Amino acid sequence: MTRLYLVPVGKDWIDHFESTVSTPIHLPEDHPIPELEDFSEVRIWGTTKSKRKRRFFEAMESGDLLLFYNEGEFFATGRVSQTFENPEAGNWLWNSASSRFIYTVTDFQRISIPRAELNRILGYSDNYIPQGFMQVSEQAINRLLQQYTSVEEAFQDFRNSTVDPPTAGDQMPHSAPDVEEEDQEVREHTEIQWYLIQLGLKHNYDVYVAKNDRNLVYEGQRLGEECVDSLHLTGFSDAAMRIIEYVDVIWLDGDYIVKLFEVESTTNVYSGILRMTDFVVKVPNLAVDMYIAAPLADMEKVRREMDRPTFRHVLARAEHCSLQYLSFEEIREKNQTVERAGALQTVF
């Protein structure tokens, strides 16, 4: 199961956080951290040595979720990339050799969640304040799962609690996401969704688009324009329906699911894979082809994540399902072929 960590950042450390997490640190060729020899820049953070923190730190795995806290609110999220213990790294980065439990951070994003709101979700007391780096307990995770179908779904909901854009006269924080890059990712995601919708329709499938994406527009046309408005599937639990309603694109033959597509246009590929495997767990006897669509440049990363033991274990038990990688480039090419020559005998 994906772990969730709370990471308080004290007032004495917030400047360090801004310079090594909010803003990736550029690593000179002669830096003294052998674990980062293949990196030119990285977001990186750490915690000091104690038996309790060591236990939490040693449980950390790539992909685990991070919530950063400061002065009454959780202000940023990220994921663990790699971990290592190196007091020299802490000394070089922050002049703190005691900060020896080091982890690199990916998928960083600013958010704004009041402490009281997260306390409510996790079942903590109203006045609870995170004291030191900690892993959220199984009991608190179970409380969270009373509201969400998975920890990943909760994480994505937290990430929607983004910082309001600055008003006139305010300066954008130097750590804010690159707006142009973010817009490009959104446009590409919508473009690929549109092509998958059109390919499904042109091959005589009913097509469903994620309920939160129906009103997105691509080249002047609403994504959900010719799609079915809702799913009418028999024998599916409420939990399974809550998962599948947010799958990016679904091809249907009547009330039978033919193919599921998750489009991943950002550096994060966990949410799509997790949604697919969560669905398989809820409906273990279903036979369906599932696809993670991502840029060709991300192929190795996607395949690596799909091959994680947790996902592999789930899929091994779903004998009639398949989870495959599909590149944006292939989707664009198939769309051009169909527009030029008509429907294909086999699309994917």
Side-chain angles (χ1 to χ4, degrees), residues 30 39 72 311:
D30 60 347
F39 293 84
F311 299 140

Side-chain angles (χ1 to χ4, degrees), residues 144-165:
L144 178 148
L145 294 177
Q146 293 177 17
Q147 182 169 336
Y148 297 94
T149 59
S150 67
V151 178
E152 180 70 29
E153 181 186 329
F155 183 69
Q156 296 303 323
D157 191 39
F158 297 158
R159 288 163 68 84
N160 289 332
S161 303
T162 52
V163 179
D164 293 335

Side-chain angles (χ1 to χ4, degrees), residues 156-191:
Q156 296 303 323
D157 191 39
F158 297 158
R159 288 163 68 84
N160 289 332
S161 303
T162 52
V163 179
D164 293 335
T167 57
D170 290 340
Q171 290 188 348
M172 179 71 78
H174 71 276
S175 57
D178 186 302
V179 175
E180 184 176 345
E181 179 180 341
E182 193 173 80
D183 287 348
Q184 175 60 34
E185 290 172 347
V186 170
R187 287 195 297 270
E188 188 171 44
H189 188 283
T190 305
E191 173 202 0

Side-chain angles (χ1 to χ4, degrees), residues 223-244:
L223 292 192
E225 189 66 36
E226 298 181 65
C227 299
V228 297
D229 292 329
S230 58
L231 293 167
H232 301 285
L233 305 172
T234 57
F236 283 62
S237 66
D238 290 344
M241 291 302 298
R242 284 197 297 271
I243 294 170
I244 202 170

Side-chain angles (χ1 to χ4, degrees), residues 24-39:
I25 184 170
H26 294 275
L27 298 169
E29 291 185 1
D30 60 347
H31 72 78
I33 310 175
E35 294 87 352
L36 300 179
E37 62 182 8
D38 295 331
F39 293 84

Side-chain angles (χ1 to χ4, degrees), residues 73-345:
E73 72 167 1
F74 291 88
F75 70 97
T77 67
R79 296 177 188 271
V80 178
S81 179
Q82 70 175 103
T83 65
F84 56 91
E85 182 178 354
N86 186 337
E88 181 60 29
N91 189 52
W92 184 75
L93 288 163
W94 310 294
N95 195 29
S96 174
S98 62
S99 299
R100 59 189 300 149
F101 299 145
I102 311 293
Y103 50 94
T104 58
V105 178
T106 63
D107 200 21
F108 178 80
Q109 181 175 310
R110 288 278 182 172
I111 61 170
S112 179
I113 302 176
R115 184 185 72 232
E117 174 64 13
L118 194 71
N119 284 348
R120 180 188 63 78
I121 293 171
L122 296 176
Y124 297 159
S125 63
D126 291 343
N127 59 354
Y128 175 76
I129 299 175
Q131 299 291 331
F133 168 77
M134 61 175 288
Q135 179 184 341
V136 174
S137 68
E138 183 176 347
Q139 181 181 1
I141 291 295
N142 289 338
R143 176 63 180 261
L144 178 148
L145 294 177
Q146 293 177 17
Q147 182 169 336
Y148 297 94
T149 59
S150 67
V151 178
E152 180 70 29
E153 181 186 329
F155 183 69
Q156 296 303 323
D157 191 39
F158 297 158
R159 288 163 68 84
N160 289 332
S161 303
T162 52
V163 179
D164 293 335
T167 57
D170 290 340
Q171 290 188 348
M172 179 71 78
H174 71 276
S175 57
D178 186 302
V179 175
E180 184 176 345
E181 179 180 341
E182 193 173 80
D183 287 348
Q184 175 60 34
E185 290 172 347
V186 170
R187 287 195 297 270
E188 188 171 44
H189 188 283
T190 305
E191 173 202 0
I192 298 302
Q193 269 186 292
W194 173 257
Y195 291 153
L196 289 170
I197 291 166
Q198 298 310 305
L199 285 168
L201 293 172
K202 289 172 182 176
H203 288 83
N204 297 317
Y205 293 113
D206 292 325
V207 179
Y208 174 87
V209 62
K211 63 186 297 184
N212 53 326
D213 292 339
R214 293 173 193 160
N215 293 319
L216 296 178
V217 175
Y218 180 73
E219 293 191 346
Q221 299 188 64
R222 190 171 63 88
L223 292 192
E225 189 66 36
E226 298 181 65
C227 299
V228 297
D229 292 329
S230 58
L231 293 167
H232 301 285
L233 305 172
T234 57
F236 283 62
S237 66
D238 290 344
M241 291 302 298
R242 284 197 297 271
I243 294 170
I244 202 170
E245 284 176 341
Y246 290 95
V247 171
D248 285 325
V249 178
I250 303 174
W251 291 2
L252 300 149
D253 184 1
D255 59 358
Y256 173 71
I257 299 173
V258 180
K259 296 183 187 294
L260 302 173
F261 300 91
E262 280 286 274
V263 180
E264 300 295 353
S265 57
T266 70
T267 55
N268 166 31
V269 299
Y270 294 89
S271 59
I273 300 173
L274 191 61
R275 184 171 289 126
M276 296 295 196
T277 52
D278 278 354
F279 180 66
V280 167
V281 169
K282 299 296 183 184
V283 194
N285 298 318
L286 187 70
V288 63
D289 294 329
M290 303 178 292
Y291 297 88
I292 302 296
L296 188 60
D298 292 339
M299 178 177 66
E300 290 305 318
K301 177 174 63 180
V302 174
R303 293 192 187 281
R304 205 163 47 241
E305 296 308 325
M306 288 168 59
D307 199 42
R308 284 168 63 94
T310 300
F311 299 140
R312 202 167 59 236
H313 175 71
V314 171
L315 293 168
R317 299 166 59 187
E319 297 179 5
H320 306 294
C321 291
S322 65
L323 179 62
Q324 304 170 56
Y325 164 76
L326 190 60
S327 74
F328 286 1
E329 289 75 2
E330 182 179 355
I331 294 169
R332 292 186 179 107
E333 182 181 333
K334 286 291 177 75
N335 185 68
Q336 291 173 358
T337 300
V338 170
E339 286 188 343
R340 183 176 63 251
L344 304 171
Q345 185 173 358

